[in-house]
Structures are given as structure tokens and as C-alpha cells.
């Protein structure tokens, strides 16, 4: 999943952005890529997170090309460790 953003800069804002991206990766059991504007007033901290919530790559806040290899071999392990799809309640929708 790719999340484009214009995350405004400020105290703790990059930490918030990273925490939310890690959470999206874990709760959806998929790779999460956050792309943030890097010009003045924005954090520019683009990152890639694994389904386990680990940071695989993070930009330093400047405009740059961030390259990251994504290894999907661990997806099944992550989904077995937290089987969220098995917890769905089909009767609710």
C-alpha cells in the first residue's frame, strides 16, 4: 500500500508519521510505503515498512530517491503470526 502525504513539519511530526505507517503495515499485514513532500514546511520522511512493522528504509527528510528491495517471502509467516483475516465478522457487513 502506498500512502502519499503532505505531512506538515513540527516537533514530533516525523515520529508520528513513522508510527502510523508501521501501524498500517501491521494491521493490514502488508508492506506500507509512505511518501511525504520534502519541500519547506513538510517532513519529507518517506519510509518503507514490512508487514511486521519494521522500517526497511527511511529518507532523511530531504528530497531524494529512496530505493528498497521488498522480499515477500516472509508474508506467510507474518500472516500466520497474526491471522487478522480469520477474525473477520462477516455477519457485520
Amino acid at each position: 500500500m502506498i500512502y502519499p502525504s503532505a505531512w506538515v513539519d513540527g516537533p514530533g511530526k516525523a515520529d508520528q508519521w513513522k508510527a502510523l505507517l508501521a501501524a498500517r503495515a501491521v494491521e493490514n499485514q502488508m508492506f506500507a510505503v509512505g511518501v511525504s513532500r520534502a519541500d519547506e514546511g513538510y517532513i519529507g520522511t518517506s519510509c518503507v515498512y514490512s508487514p511486521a512493522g519494521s522500517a526497511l528504509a527511511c529518507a532523511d527528510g530531504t528530497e531524494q530517491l529512496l530505493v528498497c528491495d521488498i522480499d515477500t517471502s516472509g508474508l506467510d509467516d507474518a500472516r500466520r503470526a497474526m491471522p487478522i483475516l480469520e477474525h473477520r465478522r462477516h455477519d457485520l457487513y
Side-chain angles (χ1 to χ4, degrees):
M1 182 66 71
I2 299 173
Y3 298 93
S5 174
W7 203 264
V8 178
D9 198 6
K13 298 298 278 186
D15 291 335
Q16 292 171 356
W17 172 242
K18 291 176 183 179
L20 291 170
L21 286 173
R24 299 298 81 82
V26 170
E27 71 190 5
N28 292 297
Q29 296 180 316
M30 61 189 337
F31 290 91
V33 178
V35 181
S36 181
R37 283 179 64 167
D39 51 321
E40 187 176 337
Y42 300 95
I43 63 168
T45 307
S46 298
C47 297
V48 180
Y49 282 85
S50 75
S54 302
L56 301 177
C58 268
D60 64 8
T62 62
E63 185 174 340
Q64 62 187 266
L65 175 64
L66 183 65
V67 178
C68 178
D69 290 328
I70 294 178
D71 180 4
T72 60
S73 66
L75 276 175
D76 290 336
D77 291 337
R79 292 175 179 163
R80 272 192 296 277
M82 190 171 70
I84 60 171
L85 292 178
E86 294 175 19
H87 299 155
R88 288 183 297 179
R89 296 259 328 259
H90 294 284
D91 58 315
L92 297 177
Y93 53 92

